[in-house]
Amino acid sequence: MLGRLAGRDRCDLVSDVAQPVVSRVIGSFMGVPPEDDADWARLMNAALAVGDPDMSPRGVETLLQDSIPELFERCRWLIAERRERPTDDLTSLLVHAEVEGERLDEQEIVMGFFLLMAAGNDSTKATYCSGMRALLEQPAQRRLLLQHPSLIPSAVEESLRMFPAFAHFARTATRDTELGGQSIRRGEKVVMWYASSGREEDRYAEPDRFDVRRNPEHQAFGAGGRHFCLGTALARLELRVLFEETLARYPRMELAGVPTWVVSTFVNQLKSLPVRLAPVSAAR
């Protein structure tokens, strides 16, 4: 994807790099043909950012009348195809899997497919773009990575801490407890704000400062337990490679406009990140 930018002076890191990269990676796992990547990305964006007028123009109406029906139709076509001609992709795995001797029904397959496609199309894109914005706004931090590429895995963790892809998730308390002086009863809903937990003053020194040397522990992937993110290893690999290749090819990249955010209370990500590439050849 970065190679396709050759000869260009500017691009948008969200639409020109991050989105097509993550769409192809998860698409390759799910057995989606490359020519369908953009359509699946459109559907996932509309479903997760239902409040954004660009991604879901009529809000919930767009979701219910357009996005969900198209998503199910595309899914059912893939499911039927894999039933007849199974391959080595994850869609085939879902279609032919057995749990206690029983196959998953179509709705279970569709929801499993949707979960994997939504997470794969969204989370890594969000953290990469926010991390790159931080590096573009703080040249000293970028210089550290250029001088010491071994710090890139640490920069990935710092990006995950400061810029989790999702703002919150809800869980149900399994027993009575107390947290931070707040009584929580069994069965009550508890909302976990990842954006807040990553900036907890009691845990992180200067929590609002982006520091690629910090290498923090964080809760961006769910902090373990039964809800730990299935794609953790893949996400870290994607982020590391994206940072490595972007910095190596365009070490003098600059912001070329005001970044804009997706309008959402759930996803925590940029909608556009315009940059001037300023490639190495120009610097010479």
Side-chain angles (χ1 to χ4, degrees), residues 58-266:
R58 304 189 316 281
V60 174
E61 185 180 339
T62 296
L63 180 67
L64 297 179
Q65 295 185 6
D66 301 336
S67 305
I68 295 300
E70 182 181 350
L71 188 152
F72 269 75
E73 181 182 352
R74 287 176 176 272
C75 262
R76 285 173 177 143
W77 183 89
L78 274 172
I79 290 167
E81 181 76 12
R82 294 306 185 271
R83 282 198 173 117
E84 291 294 321
R85 288 175 287 277
T87 62
D88 61 352
D89 56 47
L90 288 179
T91 302
S92 293
L93 185 64
L94 287 169
V95 169
H96 295 280
E98 291 188 4
V99 180
E100 297 179 350
E102 294 187 10
R103 292 277 178 91
L104 302 178
D105 63 34
E106 186 171 87
Q107 183 167 338
E108 289 172 324
I109 297 170
V110 170
M111 295 313 297
F113 181 95
F114 174 78
L115 176 65
L116 292 167
M117 284 292 287
N121 263 288
D122 207 76
S123 52
T124 302
K125 171 187 70 176
T127 303
Y128 162 73
C129 292
S130 292
M132 282 304 303
R133 179 189 179 185
L135 292 173
L136 294 174
E137 292 177 339
Q138 300 178 53
Q141 293 294 307
R142 180 170 46 169
R143 282 195 298 272
L144 273 174
L145 295 186
L146 292 171
Q147 294 166 1
H148 307 285
S150 61
L151 285 173
I152 287 179
S154 175
V156 167
E157 300 307 316
E158 180 71 340
S159 297
L160 289 164
R161 176 188 75 84
M162 288 198 72
F163 315 116
F166 304 103
H168 59 80
F169 271 98
R171 296 285 181 253
T172 304
T174 58
R175 58 181 172 85
D176 292 350
T177 188
E178 184 176 303
L179 183 64
Q182 174 67 48
S183 176
I184 300 172
R185 294 185 178 277
R186 178 181 177 181
E188 288 185 337
K189 296 295 183 182
V190 179
V191 178
M192 305 182 299
W193 287 91
Y194 291 108
S196 177
S197 70
R199 303 193 187 205
E200 175 57 55
E201 294 89 345
D202 293 341
R203 175 172 281 269
Y204 307 108
E206 299 181 78
D208 294 325
R209 180 171 60 86
F210 184 76
D211 184 356
V212 299
R213 294 164 297 189
R214 193 189 302 263
N215 197 24
E217 293 183 356
H218 52 75
Q219 295 184 317
F221 292 118
R226 69 172 63 188
H227 295 292
F228 192 64
C229 176
L230 181 66
T232 301
L234 178 61
R236 282 190 165 109
L237 176 62
E238 285 184 275
L239 287 168
R240 178 175 62 78
V241 173
L242 277 164
F243 281 127
E244 286 175 346
E245 292 297 322
T246 305
L247 292 169
R249 295 176 188 231
Y250 300 104
R252 300 184 65 202
M253 182 184 290
E254 300 172 340
L255 284 173
V258 179
T260 60
W261 290 88
V262 172
V263 180
S264 173
T265 58
F266 178 56

Side-chain angles (χ1 to χ4, degrees), residues 1-18 128 132 136 142 146 242 245-257 273-284:
M1 296 302 171
L2 289 167
R4 295 179 183 180
L5 301 178
R8 293 178 55 176
D9 177 55
R10 300 178 182 220
C11 79
D12 190 304
L13 284 186
V14 178
S15 57
D16 291 323
V17 178
Y128 162 73
M132 282 304 303
L136 294 174
R142 180 170 46 169
L146 292 171
L242 277 164
E245 292 297 322
T246 305
L247 292 169
R249 295 176 188 231
Y250 300 104
R252 300 184 65 202
M253 182 184 290
E254 300 172 340
L255 284 173
L273 183 58
V275 297
R276 185 176 299 103
L277 296 172
V280 175
S281 58
R284 294 173 180 170

